Amino acid sequence: MKEDIIEALTEKDDKAACALAERIASESLDSGKWYEYFDDFSTLLDHPKSLVRNRALHILAANARWDVENKFDSIIDTFLTHITDEKPITARQCIKALAQIGTAQPKHIPKILASLRNADLSEYKNSMRPLIEKDIEMTESILTEFANSTMGNL
């Protein structure tokens, strides 16, 4: 079954694969039924195709709330590398997903914030850089506000 899911998320029919990823991420907001595939989803973070990486980022972020086995601890560094993914759309997806991860797993907020603040955006075209900077500001704001309201000052 897990091979079928990974195959479906990486198939050439991007419309079907995207629909499946959306369904998994949506269902993961209400239930931990997809968490058992966390390790399989995490293998897609290094996929050569950016659309597949986007799907993995989205699904993993939605499953962060169910991570009772602390599996995120072993992939957080890889996840954070996508803040400066070669594809700006993937970078933007990652940055937005980090707000969801941080609120589900506050222990990662300091590392997330440090990575956002240290991100080198110089490789992005001038047309994309302001959008990425705005995404970073938004995620920083969400995580800082969340951390201050739940954990005290960062």
Side-chain angles (χ1 to χ4, degrees):
M1 165 114 174
K2 72 179 174 184
E3 292 84 11
D4 297 339
I5 293 165
I6 298 305
E7 188 176 315
L9 289 170
T10 58
E11 72 173 270
K12 289 188 190 287
D13 182 354
D14 286 321
K15 193 172 184 178
C18 188
L20 175 60
E22 279 296 319
R23 190 181 105 222
I24 292 170
S26 177
E27 290 175 2
S28 296
L29 295 177
D30 299 320
S31 158
K33 80 177 203 174
W34 292 102
Y35 177 70
E36 68 180 284
Y37 301 103
F38 189 94
D39 293 334
D40 301 300
F41 297 141
S42 68
T43 65
L44 300 178
L45 286 174
D46 293 323
H47 197 277
K49 193 172 175 185
S50 65
L51 287 174
V52 174
R53 293 194 304 273
N54 291 351
R55 292 177 200 132
L57 292 166
H58 193 54
I59 290 169
L60 289 166
N63 276 280
R65 66 177 42 199
W66 309 112
D67 187 17
V68 294
E69 298 172 29
N70 297 311
K71 291 181 177 191
F72 232 99
D73 294 359
S74 64
I75 68 158
I76 189 70
D77 291 332
T78 303
F79 201 101
L80 292 171
T81 65
H82 294 289
I83 292 172
T84 55
D85 193 274
E86 65 181 303
K87 298 290 187 179
I89 298 301
T90 302
R92 295 189 72 201
Q93 293 295 317
C94 173
I95 293 162
K96 292 174 186 175
L98 289 170
Q100 191 175 21
I101 292 165
T103 55
Q105 297 208 357
K107 67 181 177 181
H108 292 301
I109 291 176
K111 189 172 203 167
I112 292 169
L113 289 175
S115 295
L116 290 171
R117 292 176 182 142
N118 294 321
D120 178 6
L121 307 180
S122 62
E123 296 297 313
Y124 297 114
K125 293 180 182 177
N126 290 337
S127 59
M128 287 304 293
R129 196 173 312 126
L131 297 172
I132 296 170
E133 289 169 345
K134 188 174 181 180
D135 293 336
I136 288 174
E137 280 179 36
M138 180 72 74
T139 297
E140 283 180 341
S141 175
I142 290 167
L143 293 179
T144 301
E145 188 175 311
F146 180 81
N148 288 340
S149 68
T150 60
M151 304 174 354
N153 291 335
L154 279 180

